[in-house]
Amino acid sequence: MACFCYILECADGTYYTGWTTDPRRREAQHNRGRGARYTGQRRPVRLVYVEEQSDRAAAMRRERQLKNLTHAQKKALAESQR
């Protein structure tokens, strides 16, 4: 089963990183307040970056790498997918 790492841009300009099996569904969950506590207070959020991974373990490893990026690096990734 394919998994995806994603980056959401929050209404306040910050970024949230996670992993899921369905990025669009997960974006909708965050926007309904059913995602992470962090995004619940920063809605609406917008999916700005998606990266497919081969499995859950790979997605979790990549999520950790993405979380360690600076704001500017996450912004560059987001702009690379426009």
Side-chain angles (χ1 to χ4, degrees):
M1 172 187 273
C3 292
F4 302 86
C5 290
Y6 64 91
I7 298 175
L8 299 173
E9 183 176 19
C10 300
D12 64 358
T14 60
Y15 292 107
Y16 175 84
T17 304
W19 74 272
T20 184
T21 57
D22 185 345
R24 291 289 174 195
R25 176 186 51 82
R26 192 70 177 129
E27 175 189 27
Q29 287 175 329
H30 282 286
N31 275 319
R32 287 194 308 271
R34 304 248 179 216
R37 185 176 300 155
Y38 184 86
T39 59
Q41 299 173 347
R42 292 167 172 84
R43 291 182 285 166
V45 299
R46 182 172 59 98
L47 188 63
V48 295
Y49 182 77
V50 178
E51 185 177 291
E52 187 171 359
Q53 299 295 316
S54 58
D55 57 33
R56 179 181 170 189
M60 293 174 80
R61 281 191 303 273
R62 181 61 174 149
E63 176 192 18
R64 182 157 308 276
Q65 291 172 345
L66 292 173
K67 284 181 183 258
N68 287 324
L69 297 178
T70 65
H71 182 86
Q73 290 170 319
K74 290 176 186 178
K75 183 176 182 176
L77 278 177
E79 290 175 354
S80 74
Q81 284 199 348
R82 286 189 184 167

